[in-house]
Amino acid sequence: MTDAALLDEIETYYDTVPRATAGVEEVGPFTLFVADAGVGWPYYARPRLGDDHAFTADDVRRVLARQDELGLPRAIEWVDDVTPSLLPAVVDAGEHAGRFPLLALPEEAEVATPDSTRVLGPDDPDLPLVVGAVHAAFAGEDEIAARSVGRRPGLIREGHLVEVAAYDGDGRLVGGGSAAPRGTTAELMGIGVPPAHRMAGTGTAITRALVHACREAGVRTVFLSAGNDAAASIYRRVGFRDVGTACILGGHGG
């Protein structure tokens, strides 16, 4: 598959994945996803799928104002290679967006099976701890406490979510991550290891376990956006390759 075809597939995925748990509003050239009650995470606005629009600062201000009206976090996500006019429009609107490596795993890439991880079912007692471990990782904290699982159990049952837990040699939970399969495409998300448990290959093990679970579910295209170059280097060692740049206004959870 060419990079252009791959980016088209990723764009379609980004438009599809929130619809299982969100309502949709069209705001100018944006599609705004509004998470259903109890989901447990917010969504974002994205350029409307297939609309070749030249974005302006006013377009950006309008969708951010609508998010403010709805009490939602200000969040816009897009692929710079597909919508190159949006980043200059964001800057002209006085806003800032981060740029993150967008990576995909070639379908033919061999990925070793890790032995320190477990794919969780919808009623697994460790699911609240995985949510807590990822929260702690992104907060830069070591203490892992159980957190609400939101609608995760239902999404797992429906095949819309994969959750993986990682354990140390003593069987303690030390990290986790998730993936959201839709058809033959899946994004890896929220791979987190608290600081005290890093540098032991845990993030790599979680990534490999998610890839295996997605492939077993019939997924061919696995991709992710890395939070920084250090994280990207972990994924590149697994076999992921750079295919573009993800832009995010409002934070990053990958």
Side-chain angles (χ1 to χ4, degrees):
M1 182 184 298
T2 66
D3 283 356
L6 180 57
L7 290 175
D8 284 344
E9 181 178 344
I10 289 172
E11 282 289 299
T12 300
Y13 173 91
Y14 277 138
D15 183 75
T16 301
V17 70
R19 295 176 186 266
T21 53
V24 175
E25 286 191 21
E26 302 298 336
V27 183
F30 288 98
T31 298
L32 173 60
F33 297 100
V34 182
D36 297 341
V39 169
W41 56 81
Y43 282 119
Y44 42 71
R46 290 193 61 82
R48 186 175 298 113
L49 183 66
D51 188 354
D52 187 15
H53 178 80
F55 282 81
T56 68
D58 284 342
D59 294 328
V60 174
R61 295 187 187 103
R62 182 178 174 188
V63 75
L64 294 179
R66 181 56 179 155
Q67 289 175 323
D68 289 343
E69 289 174 6
L70 295 171
L72 302 174
R74 290 181 158 208
I76 304 174
E77 300 188 8
W78 71 100
V79 177
D80 190 49
D81 312 71
V82 177
T83 315
S85 66
L86 185 46
L87 184 57
V90 166
V91 173
D92 287 347
E95 303 289 340
H96 172 76
R99 292 167 53 86
F100 304 95
L102 183 65
L103 305 103
L105 185 69
E107 189 175 348
E108 67 278 7
E110 298 280 344
V111 177
T113 305
D115 58 8
S116 57
T117 61
R118 189 162 59 84
V119 178
L120 304 186
D123 301 314
D124 195 295
D126 279 352
L127 186 56
L129 284 175
V130 166
V131 178
V134 173
H135 176 81
F138 285 102
E141 301 169 352
D142 288 326
E143 184 176 353
I144 298 174
R147 296 179 65 88
S148 170
V149 299
R151 289 183 56 182
R152 288 174 179 83
L155 292 170
I156 293 171
R157 289 189 186 94
E158 295 162 5
H160 287 160
L161 184 68
V162 175
E163 291 278 356
V164 161
Y167 302 87
D168 66 11
D170 296 321
R172 293 174 299 187
L173 193 147
V174 293
S178 60
R182 296 293 187 277
T184 60
T185 313
E187 181 182 21
L188 308 191
M189 309 171 299
I191 297 172
V193 179
H197 305 290
R198 293 173 186 167
M199 308 304 291
T202 305
T204 299
I206 295 168
T207 303
R208 288 173 172 163
L210 288 168
V211 169
H212 275 277
C214 288
R215 285 180 168 175
E216 288 180 356
V219 168
R220 295 195 307 266
T221 300
V222 181
F223 75 98
L224 54 83
S225 57
N228 50 53
D229 286 334
S233 67
I234 293 173
Y235 303 129
R236 292 179 187 124
R237 287 198 294 271
V238 173
F240 283 79
R241 65 179 185 85
D242 294 72
V243 296
T245 299
C247 292
I248 300 178
L249 183 159
H252 187 267

